[in-house]
Amino acid sequence: MTHRDNEGLVCSLKFLILLVALSPELLSLGAGVQLQDNGYDGLLVAINPQVSEDQNLIPNIKKMITEASFCLFNATKRRVFFRNIKILIPATWKANNYSKAKQESYEKANVIVTDWYGAHGDDPYTLQYRGCGKEGKYIHFTPDFLLNDDLTAGYGSRGKVFVHEWAHLRWGVFDEYNNEKPFYINGQNQIKVTRCSSDITGIFVCEKGPCPQENCIISKLFKEGCMFIYNSTQNATASIMFMQSLSSVVEFCNASTHNPEAPNLQNQMCSLRSAWDVITDSADFRHSSPMSETKLPPPPTFSLLQAGDKVVCLVLDVSSKMAEADRLLRLQQAAEFYLMQIVEIHTFVGIASFNSKGEIRAQLHQINNDDDRKLLVSYLPATVSAEAETSICSGLKKGFEVVEKLNGKAHGSVMVLVTSGDDEHVANCLLTVQSSGSTIHTIALGSSAVENLEELSHLTGGLKFFVPDKSNSNSMIDAFSRISSGTGDIFQQHIQLESTGENVQPHYQLKNTVTMDNSVGNDTAFLVTWQTSGPPEIVLADPSGRKYYTDDFVTNLTLQTARLRIPGTAKPGLWMYTLNNTHDSLQALKVTVTSRASRSAVPPATVEAFVERDSTRFPHPMMIYANVRKGFYPILNATVTATIEPEAGDPVMLKLFDDGAGADVIKNDGIYSRYFFSFAVNGRYSLKVHVRHSPSMSSLTHSVPGSHAMYVPGYIANGNIQMNAPRTSVGRSEEEQKWGFSRISSGGSFSVLGVPAGPHTDVFPPCKIIDLEAVKVEDQVTLSWTAPGEDFDEGQANSYEIRMSKSLQNIQDDFNNAILVNTSKLTPQQAGTKEIFTFSPKLFTEGPKYQPEGEAQENHRIYVAIRAIDRNSLKSAVSNIAQASLFIPPNSAPVLARDRLILKGILTAMGLIGIICLTIVVTHCILNKKKTADNKENGMKLL
């Protein structure tokens, strides 16, 4: 362990001790929803500013969550309920004695209320991206779902729908229905409806009314116009993750009621485990006990909050360390661009600086025009001080003084704290930070910045960034470009289209194109920065061929920036820029392009980059994510590249995928993912994601991803079919894309600890296979999966270990002792390649030896799992469990009851016809013989 590691450990321990000593509330700040004494506190529901004000919306939200609290309490066997809920009301709504929001914002909400932006559909859904047992990102309700009571006929009560979605969000369970596979063949060779539990009853309905099952199934496929309609009155009490709309359904499927054979997402994602099994394995349940039988939970309490004026204060380090590696210059360039281009109109902005003491440079000034922006730029620090010492608390104190002059408090304000100082006394102002109600975004410069700086962001729900000391890094501007008001109004926020930087040799060029798609174009700005001397020679050409030159840009020679704002709406298409280094020395040239939405009704494509957690310890990988969407619709087939910059060393380029393999849990959900484990050094790492989409590639899906509450088409009530209104489609027609698009987003920073100083042995196994599928073809089973790598999802594994069992419990609990399948002829391919392997299960399952104890002989189903092994015998985790039905006899297809009856009828009829024919023939023969005898007798008489 290095000296710095020791210092960091001691500092972290002091920090933690102070946290506990100050207030227990500090531990929950910025950490989202907390469970304490069986009750959830801190649940945040936020209404989008684009939602029209409606006096019934807030009461309906309250009613939904109140009902959900009692439903949840019963469904979890008296374990949890909702205690305190915050509802964030947009500033666009009329003030109504609402409390002022502090650190709450739309972007931090657990539940969002917003429209689909022009598309129709009201499916409540939860965005899940991390797999079984992992928390999701948010729950989404539309205003119409909350206001239109007619929808409860198809979805059920809103409270039970909320419980369904909460289980997705909090505990990482998945849906137990499957609209694409409404039936399956079970282990007894019978066709069953996909449901959980199997005790839920109903009938098949054809176009003209009820019909037998066999009339709806032709060659193992559903006949068009047929569906399975459930009885409105049921005895089954499970499952909420299948059909929350039934009045009898009040609990989750457990081990006794779960249907492991059903082809649903819960079985696929959770290796056939029941929802209740996953829920009870969560931290919520491990750290709590059921309430006593006589005690009932109190109704939830609600706090109504409304965002006030947008207030920002820049708190900037001016200590002597800012003179190193052009830190001050790069800060000036980024802050100028933020003030001139990024910060939203009507925002109040102030500036403070600090070294060992704090100083107010500019009191709050509201931005209403460009002159206001220029005035604020003039207050940016121009020089650094001679002091190396920094006091972050002194700077924050001045920042709070600035913002408190508007309304007497700092509630709802934002601090952008930029520092390179190693201040060991940050913990001294935690109480001030906690009570301020302000959100602090931190930007750490270089490797000397205090290690606990990010705790300020964590406690207040702010963003955190890291800027390495590299002349060609654009991380500083990327960080400022990422900071927005957090209101959720995408039509007012700036979107970054380009960010690049290169060290350009003398008399060489930096040349590239940026795509301006038709969803953006308003308030478009091109920023060029350079390192030394005068500006480069700039040539910018729009799609029509019009050219802009250096003289067309607004140049600031002091800050070494050149900025061009395109009037009106920028033309869609390819914009080409060329920067010529006309100097005789190496020059770091950088380009940034931002824009805003061009139309108020059409949301632009966006990318949100983030990591799974704030820090990791070697050798555990970091999961990198990029959520690429247009409104709420996933964008597919994009080229998504992450750039990760360590404190020291070269940046790492990593391509992200949306293929449902490796780190990517769900295919085609618009969330591109990848493992990152190429750790160069200990310390901070900066993340940036670049998205490009070709106009020739299909982009939008026709449905919204995520886990949806089931909409029931109708019920059987008192023997009568009662159909609900047809479910409104959320699909949308894909717009013609002539130009594709380009997006950039900073993903903030994360920290890595425990990286060995020198070479180390292989510690990275292949990643877990998560998409194993099994298909029965005649007497064989064909497996398919995506190949993992030698190290997680990179390279090529050495071998596979496939095992199977006729007992689900055996393969779940004791994979090593399940039946080993011969894979000697199976060689792993390159990571990301689709693997296919076929084997004959009868070679392994024949005979009583392999019949699981306690299981019926009629069960002809096998369970298969796989793991990969690398060259150093490191093994991946066991894959998801796939299953296949073995038919009896092996070469026959399922025979329905109708087919057996028909066959029996035909054979009986043929037998009867045969008997009748035989009787006729025998009778005919007897009569012929008698006739012949009579003729002979008559002849004798005549003689």
Side-chain angles (χ1 to χ4, degrees), residues 44-47 88 101-112 305 307 439 441 460-461 484-488:
L44 178 61
V45 181
I47 302 171
L88 183 61
K102 296 181 181 179
Q103 293 153 351
E104 301 84 7
S105 70
Y106 182 87
E107 294 177 348
K108 302 174 192 174
N110 313 106
V111 181
I112 58 174
L305 312 175
T439 298
H441 304 305
T460 61
S484 68
S485 63
T487 62

Side-chain angles (χ1 to χ4, degrees), residues 631-644:
F632 289 97
Y633 294 88
I635 295 177
L636 311 183
N637 302 313
T639 300
V640 182
T641 306
T643 302
I644 301 106

Side-chain angles (χ1 to χ4, degrees), residues 622-657:
M622 180 62 74
M623 309 279 257
I624 308 291
Y625 301 102
N627 187 7
V628 186
R629 64 193 187 274
K630 187 177 178 68
F632 289 97
Y633 294 88
I635 295 177
L636 311 183
N637 302 313
T639 300
V640 182
T641 306
T643 302
I644 301 106
E645 294 183 279
E647 288 187 6
D650 295 329
V652 177
M653 310 293 285
L654 196 65
K655 190 172 181 181
L656 311 186
F657 299 101

Side-chain angles (χ1 to χ4, degrees), residues 119-131:
H120 300 287
D122 294 295
D123 266 0
Y125 81 95
T126 302
L127 187 61
Q128 294 180 269
Y129 64 98
R130 295 175 56 208

Side-chain angles (χ1 to χ4, degrees), residues 215-276:
N215 289 354
C216 262
I217 301 172
I218 301 173
S219 301
K220 296 178 284 182
L221 296 174
F222 264 125
K223 182 179 177 182
E224 187 175 355
C226 285
M227 63 180 66
F228 192 82
I229 303 296
Y230 296 91
N231 295 319
S232 61
T233 303
Q234 303 275 350
N235 294 322
T237 57
S239 169
I240 290 172
M241 301 316 296
F242 170 63
M243 206 169 179
Q244 76 287 331
S245 57
L246 291 172
S247 59
S248 69
V249 170
V250 293
E251 59 187 27
F252 300 97
C253 263
N254 54 34
S256 61
T257 58
H258 181 60
N259 180 6
E261 295 185 348
N264 55 40
L265 204 56
Q266 171 65 22
N267 281 330
Q268 177 187 334
M269 301 300 298
C270 298
S271 288
L272 314 183
R273 296 169 64 197
S274 71
W276 185 244

Side-chain angles (χ1 to χ4, degrees), residues 699-749:
S699 60
L700 293 176
T701 62
H702 294 281
S703 62
V704 174
S707 301
H708 299 248
M710 182 178 180
Y711 183 86
V712 181
Y715 297 99
I716 304 297
N718 299 321
N720 298 317
I721 302 172
Q722 297 179 355
M723 299 302 291
N724 294 321
R727 177 172 169 265
T728 308
S729 172
V730 296
R732 59 179 296 154
S733 58
E734 187 170 336
E735 296 180 0
E736 182 182 3
Q737 291 289 339
K738 297 179 181 178
W739 307 279
F741 67 85
S742 174
R743 296 290 186 271
I744 296 282
S745 178
S746 171
S749 64

Side-chain angles (χ1 to χ4, degrees), residues 558-569:
T558 303
L559 302 185
Q560 296 167 205
T561 64
R563 182 172 50 86
L564 174 68
R565 183 179 293 172
I566 306 300
T569 302

Side-chain angles (χ1 to χ4, degrees), residues 82-135:
F82 296 112
R83 181 185 287 115
N84 297 313
I85 293 91
K86 300 175 184 178
I87 301 177
L88 183 61
I89 298 158
T92 52
W93 287 24
K94 295 177 182 177
N96 190 18
N97 295 323
Y98 302 127
S99 300
K100 189 171 181 180
K102 296 181 181 179
Q103 293 153 351
E104 301 84 7
S105 70
Y106 182 87
E107 294 177 348
K108 302 174 192 174
N110 313 106
V111 181
I112 58 174
V113 178
T114 183
D115 289 308
W116 291 109
Y117 293 121
H120 300 287
D122 294 295
D123 266 0
Y125 81 95
T126 302
L127 187 61
Q128 294 180 269
Y129 64 98
R130 295 175 56 208
C132 184
K134 303 291 183 66
E135 287 191 47

